[in-house]
Amino acid sequence: MSVTPKRALAEISLGSSVKISTLSDGNLSLPPEMVFGEMPQSKLTELMAKRSITLTKYEPECNVTLYRDGTNTVLFDVGAGPDFMPASGKLSESLSAMGLSPEEVTHVIFTHAHPDHIWGVLDDFDDPLFPNAMHHFGRKEWDYWWNPSTVDSIGADLASFAVGAKRRMEVIEDRVELFDDGQDILPGIAARASYGHTPGHMTFELRNGSEPAMIVGDALGNPHVAFERPDWHSGTDQDPVAAAAARISLLDQIAHDHMKIIGFHLPNGGIGRVERSESNYRFIGEPS
């Protein structure tokens, strides 16, 4: 599957001053067992059959969030760049379709440092793609990938993730600000810890408007299992136990506070809401 960049995948306004758009970075192509292989297979088959889904392939879309409040032009994550997967790395095309140049971006805020979220921070010459932007990282996430022992402890399958993250962090180091859980990064944008997918994975509460929203990154990485069985462990989470606890906590907060949800790998641009359904939850996509 190849995603053709268009002006925006989905858009919402949070009050009169804040506009949220999701832009396509393309999509990933993953073996389904990488994500779903550790789950109880008979129950997984039943859940997927209820939704008429067969897991013969898994190609989640990649949604980069663009936040504009009249003063700040903010990207949450920057996609994969040209060196990760053939169908990803489309953010520059999507920005161009929006009539925006990388020089207009004032801030980049990262959920975490997996390749599809950070490798796009450099251009084809390995220079910062967003030269006028301040880059914001959760302190715990930054320290994890910056640590020279991570490449040896993360496992052979993910060693390239560690090398790639560190190389990009070194280039942007002089334009990085670190933040902690609960900290306001910009007015109306607060950091919220959701550790587990990576050791320092962060989500972000947007409360600069009449309707709150939560940017969840990969804490809620698919529209079915992550919502209906958030307790199940995903193969893409580096700490599956912590990630399951984070999913449950996030879903409870988002449903209780009636927040919009914006997910990096959720379908049709990734914007929607969460409904509580008996003992679990449902993702309801925003009409595009």
Side-chain angles (χ1 to χ4, degrees), residues 106-130:
T106 60
H107 301 268
V108 174
I109 303 175
F110 291 98
T111 60
H112 65 298
H114 278 167
D116 50 327
H117 296 258
I118 187 178
W119 281 19
V121 78
L122 303 184
D123 64 18
D124 292 341
F125 301 97
D126 282 348
D127 293 321
L129 181 59
F130 307 99

Side-chain angles (χ1 to χ4, degrees), residues 148-215:
S149 68
T150 294
V151 69
D152 297 317
S153 62
I154 197 172
D157 290 346
L158 300 182
S160 64
F161 287 18
V163 173
K166 179 70 177 304
R167 183 169 73 82
R168 288 158 178 84
M169 288 173 164
E170 288 172 343
V171 176
I172 63 170
E173 181 184 9
D174 64 350
R175 61 192 75 203
V176 167
E177 288 186 354
L178 302 181
F179 60 83
D180 298 299
D181 180 28
Q183 182 176 333
D184 285 344
I185 302 168
L186 292 169
I189 302 177
R192 189 221 194 264
S194 49
Y195 306 150
H197 181 69
T198 61
H201 186 284
M202 301 298 294
T203 51
F204 303 98
E205 297 185 26
L206 308 181
R207 296 189 179 272
N208 193 5
S210 58
E211 189 171 16
M214 185 82 79
I215 294 173

Side-chain angles (χ1 to χ4, degrees), residues 21-173:
S21 307
T22 52
L23 309 182
S24 176
D25 191 56
N27 66 275
L28 304 183
S29 181
L30 304 174
E33 59 271 16
M34 177 184 294
V35 180
F36 305 105
E38 299 301 315
M39 299 176 182
Q41 293 301 297
S42 61
K43 293 181 179 179
L44 175 66
T45 300
E46 181 181 337
L47 187 156
M48 293 303 199
K50 183 173 66 174
R51 290 178 164 268
S52 300
I53 297 171
T54 58
L55 285 178
T56 55
K57 61 180 180 180
Y58 187 56
E59 297 181 333
E61 62 184 65
C62 300
N63 309 307
V64 173
T65 300
L66 171 66
Y67 172 105
R68 291 172 289 176
D69 62 9
T71 301
N72 300 301
T73 299
V74 184
L75 290 177
F76 290 86
D77 297 328
V78 293
D83 300 325
F84 186 49
M85 290 188 178
S88 64
K90 312 301 182 185
L91 178 59
S92 291
E93 298 169 53
S94 295
L95 283 170
S96 179
M98 290 285 290
L100 285 172
S101 71
E103 289 78 12
E104 294 177 83
V105 175
T106 60
H107 301 268
V108 174
I109 303 175
F110 291 98
T111 60
H112 65 298
H114 278 167
D116 50 327
H117 296 258
I118 187 178
W119 281 19
V121 78
L122 303 184
D123 64 18
D124 292 341
F125 301 97
D126 282 348
D127 293 321
L129 181 59
F130 307 99
N132 300 321
M134 184 57 67
H135 296 65
H136 302 264
F137 256 101
R139 189 180 310 276
K140 186 172 181 178
E141 184 76 357
W142 177 272
D143 289 347
Y144 173 74
W145 296 101
W146 195 258
N147 188 331
S149 68
T150 294
V151 69
D152 297 317
S153 62
I154 197 172
D157 290 346
L158 300 182
S160 64
F161 287 18
V163 173
K166 179 70 177 304
R167 183 169 73 82
R168 288 158 178 84
M169 288 173 164
E170 288 172 343
V171 176
I172 63 170
E173 181 184 9

